[in-house]
Amino acid sequence: MDLVGAMLKILQGPNLWSVLPDLMVFMLPLWIAVLFGVLVGWVWRPRGAISAINNLTTTYLPPKTYSSIDIVSSIPTFNSLKSQLPSCLFPFSDGSSEVSSPGTSSISFPDTSSSKLDIESKNFVGEGDLEHLSKFVEEKDGGLPWIGMMEKSTSSMFYQAWKREPEIGPPQYRSRSVYEDTTPELMRDFFWDDEFRLKWDDMLVEAETLEECPNDGTMVVKWVRKFPFFCSDREYVIGRRIWESGKTYYCVTKGVQYPSVPRRTKPRRVDLFYSSWMIRAVESRKGDGQMSACEVLLFHHEDMGIPWEIAKLGIRQGMWGAVKKIDRGLRWYQKHTASGAPLSHCAYMAHINSKVSPAHLRYLENTTNESQEIETCQELANDEKPSGKNLGKILVVGGAIALACTVDRGLLTKAVIFGVARRFAKMGRRL
């Protein structure tokens, strides 16, 4: 209470500039505590918990989905320690990487003579991923129940969103969008067309196709996405593939390991990334009985390398704006294709997909899930946690306050700062 009382007293100043000197003095010991806690955490890492998480990545997640645990099991160095903290703390790092200039976008495609995927040796996205997505669609994945977040609509679309927070891993999001006067095929091409995405998605600054398979349409692409000013941009290496069952499309995109694209200090690589959707025709909300609308069920989660509570706050505030931006991009794409413009290379690859029968999908959906094994791994991780929970909570609260104060710069209110800190304290058992 003394800590919170002192902080509130400082923040009672008439404006930011009057409290800034006291705030900086107040933040210094907090930052020292946070850095000390991070260093101690690296030294005291329990091997049992690491092995449990390793087991989890081979059970709960689809095959070859995430490998970011390799970072955890590596020898800790100062550079790896910096990568766990917001990049705004190290604005003068001498990374050797080159980044795109703000406001510029670029896209490149592979040399088709040398970039075909060897299907036998490189299975970036396989049937296990189709099984995982189909269970998500039918809500048979064995996960926690979904909690409603939002329900909104415009004249051209209807949107619903849910979330859930598993014991291990980042928050997961599920959404259902119904777009009027469009087809599943156009929606499929729209989501796959990186060249056109650079025109309507102002967060995407670079898109490059690394490899592709002309037989089943599997692609490996690299994206660079723009993040707010207090964080560096993020780099994604994504494997993606489409399955077709009748006129229903199952589109999987996920982070994959790709050694030929080395890691850079900036933009920072996002390893844990999953964003997949099911697309099908549905009856229009106009009430005319026509199947002239398109339904998209999206499942998304990622670890962007910033505190999850702050990431959740940003997602909650920006979700509806992003949804409306997608709808505007889709309508633009409709006019673009109706004008007779040729398909881009990425959109052409969306036409190459794997056929799967409804019976096989039902078989995949009804296979036994491994939620019991997930619980066993979680119990093992909890048993191996070191003592000193109160100290850990103190460090987490201090880190939340210090980070929020640093990020503020007129964007966050004082109430949000302490709200985030309280939420961090309550979730101490998950950290």
Side-chain angles (χ1 to χ4, degrees), residues 30-43:
L30 293 177
W31 276 119
I32 294 174
V34 170
L35 293 176
F36 176 76
V38 172
L39 290 172
V40 171
W42 273 103
V43 176

Side-chain angles (χ1 to χ4, degrees), residues 348-366:
Y348 169 77
M349 290 299 295
H351 291 230
I352 306 174
N353 45 63
S354 303
K355 305 298 188 290
V356 59
S357 68
H360 186 61
L361 273 179
R362 288 192 295 270
Y363 167 76
L364 294 178
E365 292 161 4
N366 293 319

Side-chain angles (χ1 to χ4, degrees), residues 172-307:
Q172 300 177 357
Y173 297 91
R174 173 180 182 261
S175 69
R176 176 179 180 265
S177 305
V178 177
Y179 298 92
E180 297 290 339
D181 302 317
T182 191
T183 65
E185 290 73 24
L186 182 71
M187 183 65 65
R188 173 202 63 194
D189 294 353
F190 171 67
F191 281 130
W192 234 240
D193 195 334
D194 288 347
E195 183 176 348
F196 195 82
R197 179 182 287 269
L198 285 165
K199 299 178 181 179
W200 66 265
D201 186 353
D202 54 9
M203 287 189 66
L204 184 66
V205 296
E206 180 183 333
E208 177 183 357
T209 301
L210 302 176
E211 291 195 42
E212 61 188 28
C213 176
N215 297 326
D216 60 21
T218 300
M219 301 179 70
V220 178
V221 300
K222 186 185 76 171
W223 282 6
V224 176
R225 296 186 69 83
K226 186 188 303 180
F227 266 57
F229 68 91
F230 52 83
C231 291
S232 64
D233 293 346
R234 295 300 192 261
E235 178 184 73
Y236 299 78
V237 178
I238 299 171
R240 62 190 193 187
R241 181 177 173 184
I242 299 175
W243 284 265
E244 178 185 353
S245 180
K247 290 297 182 179
T248 299
Y249 298 94
Y250 293 81
C251 310
V252 174
T253 72
K254 65 175 189 178
V256 297
Q257 292 300 303
Y258 200 79
S260 62
V261 178
R263 294 179 181 275
R264 300 179 289 175
T265 305
K266 293 182 181 182
R268 178 174 174 177
R269 178 75 56 83
V270 174
D271 290 292
L272 199 160
F273 172 82
Y274 182 84
S275 189
S276 301
W277 50 91
M278 184 271 290
I279 306 173
R280 63 186 172 192
V282 294
E283 185 176 338
S284 170
R285 292 188 299 131
K286 299 175 183 177
D288 56 6
Q290 299 297 314
M291 301 289 284
S292 58
C294 180
E295 178 188 53
V296 178
L297 290 179
L298 169 68
F299 303 89
H300 180 95
H301 58 269
E302 64 179 289
D303 187 350
M304 297 177 284
I306 61 178

Side-chain angles (χ1 to χ4, degrees), residues 66-83:
Y66 313 123
S67 310
S68 60
I69 194 63
D70 294 341
I71 302 174
V72 178
S73 59
S74 63
I75 299 176
T77 64
F78 181 69
N79 286 332
S80 64
L81 180 59
K82 287 199 302 182
S83 67

